Amino acid sequence: MTEISRRKLFATAGALVVAFSLPGEAETNQKLPGSLSSEPRLSGWIRVDAKGDITVFTGKAELGQGIRTALTQLAAEQLDVAPARVTVVTADTGQTANEGYTAGSHSMQDSGTAIVNASAEVRSLLVEAAAARLGLPAASLSTQDGRVTAPDGRSLGYGELAAALSPDRSATPGNRLKDPKAHKVMGQSLQRVDIPAKVTGGAAYVQDMRLPGMVHARIIRPPSYGATLLELDSAKVEAMPGVLKVVREGSYLAVIAEKEWQAVVAMRSLAGAAKWNAGRALPDPATIFDTIRALPSRAIVIRDDQANVAAGTRSVSARYLRPYGMHGSIGPSCAIGLMQGDSLTVWTHTQGVYPDRQAIAALLKMPQAKIRCIHVEGSGCYGHNGADDAAGDAALLARAMPERPVRVQWMREQENTWEPYTPAMVTEASAALDASGRIVDWQYGVWSNAHSTRPGGAGELIAGWSLPEPTIPSAPVPIPQPEGGGDRNAIPLYNVPNMKVVSHFIPEMPLRVSAMRGLGAYMNVFSIESFMHELAEAAGADQVAFRLKHLSDPRARDVINLAAERFGWNAAAPLAKDHGRGFAFARYKNLAAYAAVAVEVSVDRESGLVRVIRADIAVDSGEVVNPDGIRNQIQGGFVQSSSWTLVEELRWSTAAITSRDWGGYPILRFQNVPQSVTVHLIDRPGLPFLGTGEAAQGPTAAAIANAVADAAKLRVRQLPLSPTRMKAALSA
Amino acid sequence: MISLNVNGTIHHLDVDPNIPLLYVLRDELGLNGAKFGCGLGQCGACTVMLDGQAIFSCLTPAIVLEGRQIRTVEGLGTVEQPGVLQQAFIDEQAAQCGYCIAGMIMRAQALLERNPSPTDAEIRTQMQPNLCRCGTHMRIIVAIKRASQAMGHAALPAAAVKEVVR
């Protein structure tokens, strides 16, 4: 420890107490766990107030995935307080650490790991403070219900001891976590803290915020990418009831009114008054996969294993296609902006308050320090939808109407036609089997656009594209392995001696695209696990046994065995007519949660309609914090992925996006969701948390496709497996 | 001036007669339950009850609602005292983002008042107009069945009618 840091430490309140647990030199070189490595101050994560109540600060956002509840459990457990005494403050540039985006199933791994360790360390500091006050060894003291208690019955509340926690105190390496066997809160299905308000009409979303003096705005977007405003006579709209202002900056057009309905009516009128030139033409949807395959791409070899083994005796190859898809949030994007003097506050359901602030600062040419972005929940986003763009709109409109909160919500057709879609993708696989039915060679390529065009820069906010000096999107870059973007999960976990995997990154984006739940993992796992089914058939092997034969990771084998067992996997057992069974497995990103899925489907040979009858899913998320939270995420992920796989496909013409509403972009409804989806958890107490929120997306798609192939006795390799496509295949 | 009976309270409102009920509920009455989802009657996020039937409040002009009984999720209970369906949704943890849930509850309420013991198939048919993007469907079905068992003969007690002028 340097002299400076020692002096600084002793200058702060409670320094004497703190000094007892100073780490040695060797320990300080260890990396702090989770996001503590980027925000080491304990007070950045945990604060104890004078009453002994706990506030947890996370840079991650509640997106409906239940993170607020799981983080509450971590702090309550390690600090020995009731969950009701824990408040969680989520992503807010004015209060929380910069944890980037709430994405990639990282929240438990990064923020959860930081919070569980910070909580444990704060508890140990409180115990040391109590030991000093009571003149007893720390080891003789225990904690419960927010108090430190001595064997003689004396006790001190956390509130009395909180002064010992210096705000500058940094976390130190070392494991202070409780023995998982002693857990009372972690590992329990604590009910979600946000659900009661959501079912009773409480103010739960940014859409529900009503600030004093708030006004309502609506945007009039160009009819297509790159269209510019030629003519506008806004006089009539300006005279409409309640209209406060028509905002026009270049081709950026919006209206602000006192009331929301007035803004909607004025928006429609203004849209009718605006004349636009044609934007850039979109590619022919009929040949989109040829277009994608032909676009210039950069080949990145992400795996190249070569071994001297005998060549295979039998080869198999296949090509798989997935269309553009939509996040399809039920609530269109919304944000509120308030410009007071030279300071701007934006309430937003962005996944990344800090990156969004950076983009807004660039858009408005303001210093970041003058902008505060506060996350407030929105409708589920499942990735980069219109949230950041709406925040950009709110910022621009707050500047146009200073000193009044400006709430802007997009209309359905705006969300549908302007959100960044998940890219259409092409994969090609070929493999060789030896005489024993083992895969000896595996060649795989994936062609894709970028899977993240998130802010950062002003060019990542669509409002900027229409300004008098249009902002330019940053050049897209691939997300590198091991997480990957288009090539996420492109490397199978199976043991194959010769394996080459190439990611073909396509910079040019025919449609606006970005991150959607699972990124490329959805398509790669669909492809790889469909291909495994095809290979198993070629080898004459059972689907489950064939996977296990090529897999050595014991945790992967465990989920596969458990899903098969609970499903009652028996390929020889007869099924009802036109029913089929399918299986798939993946470990998300090859480094997060393991998931194996077994499903039974039926295929109606007349209509082509596929129904999922039942599914059993086995999941290993490392140490389980909230079992029901994981089940909810996996069940939801299964149903959502079923919808992507069976019905979803973006529609457009060369002039415009035509999936303008739910009629043009159908998703699964109640009558077609499965009869049952059962999730089976493998708990790994004491092992690291493994991100789970996206783990079901890929295996679900492949398990369904494999079951469809089993039922229909034919393989459809282009998604979605819609009635139209299935019917065509069945009658071919 | 339009007079609307919402959750047993009569509100006299000076609004554009063509304004959809959704905007009256949210903007004039400050109620959060009914949500804007599509404005087209395709998603059900705005579902409320009108004289016992589930309707899309985004499509229903306020002018046609005088003298009729409008109920929203706020009329079923509170955080402190949730209604039977609300409690069933909490017990089953039948929400993820939850944006669709108030609409789901109102459509389910309309079913249970008409048919206290629906089958799975009847529940699915009733809920078909409402979309959930998080994939919470199966939990919603289970929650409705749970409420059906808990309710038996449930109808909301008739609330005293109050009058409010805006």
Side-chain angles (χ1 to χ4, degrees), chain A residues 53-375:
Chain A
D53 289 341
I54 310 297
T55 307
V56 172
F57 295 84
T58 174
K60 299 294 186 182
E62 175 65 60
L63 306 175
Q65 82 283 44
I67 194 68
R68 187 184 289 278
T69 306
L71 297 179
T72 297
Q73 289 177 264
L74 300 180
E77 180 69 67
Q78 298 300 331
L79 280 157
D80 278 323
V81 296
R85 290 183 65 182
V86 178
T87 304
V88 179
V89 174
T90 59
D92 175 351
T93 61
Q95 296 193 78
T96 68
N98 181 357
E99 293 196 88
Y101 299 104
T102 304
S105 299
H106 271 277
S107 293
M108 286 304 287
Q109 292 182 197
D110 297 352
S111 205
T113 300
I115 287 162
V116 75
N117 282 285
S119 299
E121 188 161 359
V122 167
R123 177 190 167 277
S124 77
L125 293 171
L126 292 166
V127 169
E128 285 167 22
R133 288 263 293 271
L134 299 171
L136 292 167
S140 71
L141 305 179
S142 63
T143 49
Q144 62 179 49
D145 196 21
R147 300 189 73 80
V148 184
T149 305
D152 60 15
R154 286 183 294 164
S155 75
L156 290 164
Y158 287 178
E160 302 167 68
L161 299 163
L165 300 170
S166 155
D168 295 326
R169 167 85 196 190
S170 283
T172 51
N175 183 1
R176 301 167 185 83
L177 300 176
K178 279 188 188 172
D179 181 342
K181 290 192 193 73
H183 285 174
K184 298 189 191 78
V185 185
M186 284 170 65
Q188 301 299 310
S189 289
L190 184 71
Q191 289 197 336
R192 285 255 304 268
V193 295
D194 51 334
I195 288 181
K198 289 175 174 177
V199 301
T200 53
Y205 306 92
V206 70
Q207 285 89 344
D208 299 334
M209 286 180 68
R210 295 180 183 84
L211 299 175
M214 188 171 83
V215 294
H216 294 269
R218 285 294 182 279
I219 315 295
I220 295 86
R221 294 270 178 231
S224 60
Y225 300 131
T228 52
L229 188 55
L230 293 174
E231 271 178 56
L232 177 74
D233 180 359
S234 59
K236 183 170 150 260
V237 172
E238 280 162 23
M240 290 174 76
V243 170
L244 297 168
K245 192 168 190 175
V246 170
V247 179
R248 183 183 173 181
E249 293 188 45
S251 294
Y252 186 74
L253 187 57
V255 59
I256 304 175
E258 286 286 356
K259 304 228 166 171
E260 188 168 11
W261 178 244
Q262 292 167 336
V264 173
V265 173
M267 173 202 72
R268 288 178 182 161
S269 188
L270 204 52
K275 304 242 182 319
W276 305 82
N277 71 355
R280 100 177 139 75
L282 301 177
D284 181 355
T287 54
I288 187 62
F289 294 108
D290 297 334
T291 302
I292 286 170
R293 192 67 178 71
L295 282 171
S297 65
R298 197 160 102 219
I300 306 163
V301 177
I302 58 172
R303 184 71 170 258
D304 193 4
D305 291 351
Q306 292 172 29
N308 192 13
V309 293
T313 55
R314 182 148 189 212
S315 62
V316 179
S317 64
R319 179 178 195 243
Y320 303 92
L321 308 171
R322 78 155 301 188
Y324 287 98
M326 201 184 277
H327 299 81
S329 299
I330 298 296
S333 294
C334 181
I336 299 172
L338 173 59
M339 184 74 82
Q340 290 174 297
D342 64 351
S343 295
L344 173 68
T345 305
V346 181
W347 290 267
T348 162
H349 53 98
T350 176
Q351 289 178 278
V353 283
Y354 282 92
D356 205 22
R357 179 177 73 163
Q358 187 185 337
I360 289 169
L363 185 73
L364 270 62
K365 300 187 169 69
M366 282 177 69
Q368 287 193 52
K370 291 288 183 188
I371 302 174
R372 179 177 178 188
C373 288
I374 303 172
H375 181 268

Side-chain angles (χ1 to χ4, degrees), chain B residues 17-154:
Chain B
N18 294 317
I19 188 173
L21 175 61
L22 173 66
Y23 294 90
V24 176
L25 297 174
R26 295 191 62 86
D27 231 19
E28 303 294 329
L29 306 184
L31 298 174
N32 296 317
K35 298 283 193 286
F36 176 75
C38 65
L40 301 162
Q42 296 176 340
C43 77
C46 67
T47 303
V48 300
M49 285 170 70
L50 178 66
D51 295 339
Q53 299 290 316
I55 60 154
F56 299 119
S57 67
C58 73
L59 291 183
T60 311
I63 190 79
V64 305
L65 301 176
E66 282 203 300
R68 306 178 71 179
Q69 199 182 51
I70 299 155
R71 279 159 70 198
T72 71
V73 80
E74 288 88 349
L76 300 188
T78 60
V79 168
E80 295 73 30
Q81 285 191 302
V84 177
L85 250 175
Q86 290 167 327
Q87 187 61 52
F89 273 67
I90 294 170
D91 291 341
E92 294 297 334
Q93 294 286 284
Q96 289 186 43
C97 86
Y99 195 88
C100 70
I101 293 296
M104 294 284 181
I105 290 176
M106 294 317 290
R107 190 166 297 279
Q109 180 79 16
L111 171 65
L112 294 181
E113 290 188 7
R114 187 176 78 238
N115 174 3
S117 305
T119 62
D120 265 26
E122 287 168 336
I123 292 173
R124 285 173 185 249
T125 302
Q126 169 78 7
M127 302 307 289
Q128 183 75 353
N130 285 37
L131 291 176
C132 168
R133 188 54 164 162
C134 297
T136 318
H137 305 71
M138 272 95 68
R139 286 181 179 229
I140 292 170
I141 294 168
V142 174
I144 295 169
K145 295 191 78 150
R146 184 185 185 114
S148 141
Q149 283 154 13
M151 270 173 165
H153 51 279

Side-chain angles (χ1 to χ4, degrees), chain A residues 626-645:
Chain A
N626 188 315
D628 191 62
I630 293 177
R631 286 194 193 97
N632 206 356
Q633 280 294 293
I634 294 291
Q635 285 173 339
F638 181 90
V639 173
Q640 187 178 70
S641 180
S642 303
S643 183
W644 296 353
T645 304

Side-chain angles (χ1 to χ4, degrees), chain A residues 427-452:
Chain A
T427 60
E428 293 175 5
S430 62
L433 295 161
D434 70 10
S436 74
R438 184 172 288 276
I439 309 166
V440 290
D441 183 70
W442 179 285
Q443 307 285 321
Y444 182 86
V446 50
W447 284 260
S448 178
N449 273 154
H451 281 257
S452 176

